[in-house]
Amino acid sequence: MVAAISISEFSQRHTSTLPARFSADPMRQLHRTSCGLALGLFCSAIALIASAVGAEIPGDGSTYNLAPGDRINIAVFEQAGLSGDVFVDSAGHIRLPLVGDVSIAEMTVDEAEQQIAKRLASFVEHPIVSVRVTEFRPINVMGDVRAPGSYVFRYGSVVASAVALAGGYSADQPRDGARAEYLLADEHLRVLLESRRALQVRIARLEAQLSGAADFDLAKVPDVANDSSLADVVASEKAILKGEASALDQELSIMRAQQPLLEAQIASIKEQANAEAVQLQLIQAHIQDYDKLLKNGLGNRYTGIELQREEARNKGNISGYAAQMTALHLAIGEMQLRIDQAESAYKQRIATQLSDARTSLQQTEAAIPAAREIRELRLQLGQMTTSTGSDNRKHDFVIVRRRGRESQEIPATETTPIQPGDIIKVRELPSSSPPLVTMMQPDDRGTKRLPAEPEASTR
């Protein structure tokens, strides 16, 4: 507690120790006396507040022990450069100008004032020091709370206040949260089951498509054959089968339609080549007759040369026609190759899709057991949440409080006051509730659903 003193006693105490030069100077003495009066009023106010609050407040200068993590304000009278806020470090020291580190660990506020004043006495004549805690070291909450961690200490805090700062008890989840988690797990399982059935239909379509069938039969798929909910999936897969088969047939028909045209061109060129061959024979016969006339001196040499030129042109035309027919035959071969490649690429694409679908089916089937187990765990958690409300659960508390270099564990309740630096451990006691009540019932699909929330009554 801060002891209340009278203004006259404070003034007399701090002016009687002044050196002669201050006492001889009336102005200095008046200034010192006025400052003493002001500080005396301040101390009296602090004493009144302390007496009103009582000795239990952590800031009580005679009882509260400073420790690492505290933030204190140091006010040195008429020494602004030596005043300010400082933190108590992990070693229990504070650092001040001129004097350096000052150890105040485990000291009360009053003792810290005396220690600081003693250290400053070598640099400041008759230092007047005031120490005030501006921020207490934090409390720590751990255990069965939603947000374990460090929190700022507040005056009047109790264990329940610390639990509230940490977000309440961790198991104190609303029933809607359990419903939402179960519904998510149930929906995930439903998606996996629907995906498995859809993949089975797709595999049936791809197998039929790979074999060249115009339709596929679901009788070989027992999980799907009698499932009316997959009508849209089946219709979609049949439409895909029909559409892709039609697209392939159209592509192949366009390429196959080119072959008769190429064959007709070959036939036309062949006829032209035959005509050129006949003409070549006539020219060659004419050349033989004209050679006889030249031997008898009855022919013209230049006419013979012209006939030879005509013969060469005919032979060139015949060779050109042969080259054109060869090119057309190659085009027919390339067209057939393109047809074969289109059919092969189509089947390869279908085979790849079939392999991917089978792999996806295996992965889906492997994930279904785990999804079922997760759903059951969510169901059990929801049952526990429903059957054990927050009013039925009990907790015990332990406060770990540091005393010097030792720590002390103190059993506590929700109304136990806490102090700065306390560690509050929260543990849920084993429940003695009756057997769990079924909160979810199977539906027509073989899964379970939460019952609807009761509507709030109105008045």
Side-chain angles (χ1 to χ4, degrees), residues 6 25 28 30 51 55 59 100 112 114 136 141 146 176 178 217 220 243 330 336 361 370 397 419 442:
S6 66
D25 189 346
R28 289 182 179 271
L30 178 61
S51 61
Q114 297 172 10
F136 295 100
V141 188
R146 292 187 183 179
D176 288 343
D217 187 10
K220 298 179 180 180
L330 289 176
Q336 185 60 45
L361 179 60
F397 312 93
Q419 296 183 9

Side-chain angles (χ1 to χ4, degrees), residues 123-237:
F123 305 94
V124 179
E125 188 175 6
H126 303 291
I128 302 175
V129 179
S130 174
V131 174
R132 177 173 58 90
V133 181
T134 58
E135 182 179 325
F136 295 100
R137 55 190 181 275
I139 60 173
N140 295 276
V141 188
M142 59 185 296
D144 187 36
V145 291
R146 292 187 183 179
S150 298
Y151 296 93
V152 177
F153 174 81
R154 303 297 182 190
Y155 284 115
S157 295
V158 295
V159 170
S161 305
V163 173
L165 287 174
Y169 300 115
S170 60
D172 193 14
Q173 300 291 341
R175 185 168 181 263
D176 288 343
R179 288 172 58 87
E181 291 179 355
Y182 173 81
L183 291 177
L184 287 175
D186 183 68
E187 184 63 23
H188 179 59
L189 178 59
R190 286 175 178 270
V191 169
L192 289 176
L193 295 175
E194 295 293 339
S195 298
R196 181 178 67 177
R197 287 191 285 267
L199 286 170
Q200 289 173 337
V201 174
R202 179 174 298 178
I203 289 172
R205 186 262 296 176
L206 291 171
E207 289 176 346
Q209 197 170 354
L210 188 62
S211 64
D215 198 0
F216 60 92
D217 187 10
L218 295 176
K220 298 179 180 180
V221 188
D223 294 341
V224 180
N226 300 322
D227 194 343
S228 59
S229 64
L230 292 176
D232 293 339
V233 176
V234 174
S236 176
E237 294 293 338

Side-chain angles (χ1 to χ4, degrees), residues 1 9 119 131 137 205 209 216-217 226 287 290 372 384 389 396 422 426 435:
M1 295 283 296
E9 290 175 346
R119 294 290 299 274
V131 174
R137 55 190 181 275
R205 186 262 296 176
Q209 197 170 354
F216 60 92
D217 187 10
N226 300 322
I287 290 173
Y290 198 78
R372 281 200 176 100
M384 293 174 63
D396 66 350
D422 282 351
V426 183

